[in-house]
Amino acid sequence: MEEAVFNDYPPQLSPEQQDYLVTATKDWAIQNGLAVRPSPAILPANADPNRVLATNAPVTLFPSPFPRACFEEAQALQTVYNQLYAAITCNEEWLGSIIKDLIDVDDFVANLWKTHLAVKQEGYVQNLSLGLYRSDYMAHVTPNRAPSLKQVEFNTISSSFGGLSALVRSLHAELLATPLSYPPHPLLKSGTPPDNTTVETLSGGLAEAHKAYGPSKSLPDLPLCVLFIVQDGERNVFDQLALSKRLTGFHKIPVFRVKSNQILDQTSVPTANPARPLIYHPPHSPESAFEVTTVYLRAYYSPDEYTSSRDWEARRHLERSAAVKCPSVLNQLAGCKKIQQVLAEPAGPDHLTSFLNGVDPAIIARLRETFAPQYDLSAGGQGRDLALNPETAMKHVLKPQREGGGNNIYKAEIPDFLRAMPESDWKGWVLMELINPAANAENVALRNDGEVLRGNVISELGVYGTVLWENTGKIIHNDQGGWLLRTKGKEVNEGGVAAGFSSLDSVLLY
Amino acid sequence: MEEAVFNDYPPQLSPEQQDYLVTATKDWAIQNGLAVRPSPAILPANADPNRVLATNAPVTLFPSPFPRACFEEAQALQTVYNQLYAAITCNEEWLGSIIKDLIDVDDFVANLWKTHLAVKQEGYVQNLSLGLYRSDYMAHVTPNRAPSLKQVEFNTISSSFGGLSALVRSLHAELLATPLSYPPHPLLKSGTPPDNTTVETLSGGLAEAHKAYGPSKSLPDLPLCVLFIVQDGERNVFDQLALSKRLTGFHKIPVFRVKSNQILDQTSVPTANPARPLIYHPPHSPESAFEVTTVYLRAYYSPDEYTSSRDWEARRHLERSAAVKCPSVLNQLAGCKKIQQVLAEPAGPDHLTSFLNGVDPAIIARLRETFAPQYDLSAGGQGRDLALNPETAMKHVLKPQREGGGNNIYKAEIPDFLRAMPESDWKGWVLMELINPAANAENVALRNDGEVLRGNVISELGVYGTVLWENTGKIIHNDQGGWLLRTKGKEVNEGGVAAGFSSLDSVLLY
């Protein structure tokens, strides 16, 4: 599973070359907003009481080679994936039939479902939904065949690093264009990373939802805005600000940021107005009020963010409002790993074809090709055998219903992990065959504490898309554009870039 | 000396308003490169061993009102000032006659002059000189008259903050354009800070010099580049990078940075080539070599940067090379305060008219109007009386031959300071009448450690210009464009923004 392209890539760096590249990279990062706030691990909070300091996002010093055919296939399929997840979200019955298996083993899924049911009972007042998605892939290497595109996961909430991904592409493109930045190497002379329009695509989706919301539902009319719901203490703020900058600067749409723990203080849904507009009351201008057309969640994707019933109340409050949610609770649930596993089932009903009604079967077949084999752990099923057998476990990863990495169980750890858990909980997990990335890929990472690490790496390609639809299934806007490469040291199994053990990267297509 | 425009400006901020503005400002600063590396005072070096952290440049939260007539007059006069300082630099005899008085009291001036003489003896090989200038002013307030423009100093070396000044203008313009950023106030509704083209102007000047240098003087030809000479440990690096980004991105000119203590290691002048090209040997690519068309000094402006004879050797090495210097030693010397004082002398020869041969006398009169009264301290002269009399000293500032603030003596401290010095050294100093800025100006500053300070302030307007000329006096390129407002707390007498006790600001014209 070696790929020849990596044999002498990236070129070795002399200490002076490395010093030059590191200085150029860390300065470029701050000059251009390719930045994060430092974590307590690299800077104690009391060293920066006013939280003014920033550092470079973790990045690779070189772009990584990536197979052009896989890159182009991922782009070609994104609007079909957008359509698929919109259709799944519209089919509450089908979605519910899968979710119901998870409810008694997964509190988080259960609470999301309950939130949906509560709003359903009251009646939804907004029939539009917005998705900003990122579909993650690896280039899967098999002997004597061209690499193929395999999906790692599909993100339906808070798809992050769109803002920074375009910047890391610009960083590498600029280094490639600067004489002597890199030691001579044929691959580094061969071209430049392709354009990266993530910021335009994602903010374009938010702008479409804003427009589709229509006029104010308040009496008298209120000015309209988009609301970013963010985590308290967010360190990846510059990634988010790249999107809001485009929304305000290009689309001329006011954007405000509300921390998830302040939603109930700073927003309201007037009881007297059956249209249930979501009103934002800026604490910095208490006499003003805005009506929120679109709620963009960069928070509330993970169970640990719901620290009390107040958080669930806030989530329900947003859900029942007239604002377009990005995503709705149902759309977030559609991102459960279980859904991806059911879609990938080779036997049984052809879900893909029913959801992608009208799509060319050849395209559906190509989309199906991106699925890695994945299994539930039901008694007597193939998945259970593969997971418990130490030999076959080595080729698999065990995933809960979460996004964002940090929760997966890998290889040899799978059998013991399962046996330590009541069998009744196993249905909360999905077993997926590991994708085989090129074994000899290397790169050099500049961490956000300035340490430089060289070694074997695994890269994951994310492709961004956005879709706006009506609950009837009618699609209003469906667009793809932009990409992200995340590259991590091979000894590290997880891909959470923000945690610092993974780097933002870009691609050189071959 | 109150100005009505400041009576209720800036508006008061509630804690929530201030929190909003501070968060928006510090995030904007990092997103857009309005940044500095933190000083040891706010972050001990061992907390950031790899020097990756950055913070916002110190900025005001509000733009400051500034009289439109003064602003426009400063812009209108800049190319005349450019011409004046080019002409002074071309007149070595006149310059030398003034410098000779300083030589025995000012080692720094003496060493610069010696450097010039040494190169003169060998013979200069470059007849082009480049100036990137900043002329600093205050709006001088006198009762019952419109404010008038008075020059604080004219900078002929390392004129800094050009890169960041355009950014702080954009910051304030964006805050003004964002609903609810500021509490309502008529002045904040009245407009936006004028365009700021400092980056284009200064990098345009460097590009002109690069072009005028002509083809490589090496055999065989070498590729050409611009060299930035910078201080080791420079914290204001993003200001400089704004210029090099424009040079590489727009003008397509390679730029390299060399620390002043590495000039002799990384550059050479081949002894066998009588044209004396300056060759740059990139340590990160030892087999490569570039020929330097233009040396831009962002170092070597202050005596404390010359720590040994090696620094003077490096300075002479640059000066004797064929690279266009920005500035040459003579041009740096033309920036001595003593020159400004001699130009301002109301009696005696009309230096302005002789240097500005061919310029409309009305323009020369307007330029003269920008001079504050200033005096030498010669025996029996008016300056000595004004400086030693405690009452008149209160209206004056005493300046040595330095740029960059931090060396001036103010008001009541002047008499004792002079008396503690041998009278023979007094000729190294210039006494200048203090300019009267509006007494009631206020603003709110966000320091680079995140502390917020509100209070009475003094603002200084800097206007940028660039000029390229031949030693014969022929001017090749003369341009003005861009500006900077620096605003400092009134209790602080000095204007060194980088030291953190002064803020970058922009203007609202009235």
Side-chain angles (χ1 to χ4, degrees), chain B residues 40 62 66 109-110 170 222 231 261 271 281 291 325 359 413 421 488:
Chain B
F62 296 86
F66 196 86
V109 169
S170 298
L222 287 175
Q231 295 181 344
N261 59 14
T271 46
H281 309 277
E291 183 173 328
K325 270 71 68 182
V359 173
E413 291 172 10
M421 192 195 305
K488 54 192 175 180

Side-chain angles (χ1 to χ4, degrees), chain B residues 280-293:
Chain B
Y280 170 59
H281 309 277
H284 58 288
S285 182
E287 72 285 6
S288 308
F290 276 74
E291 183 173 328
V292 180
T293 63

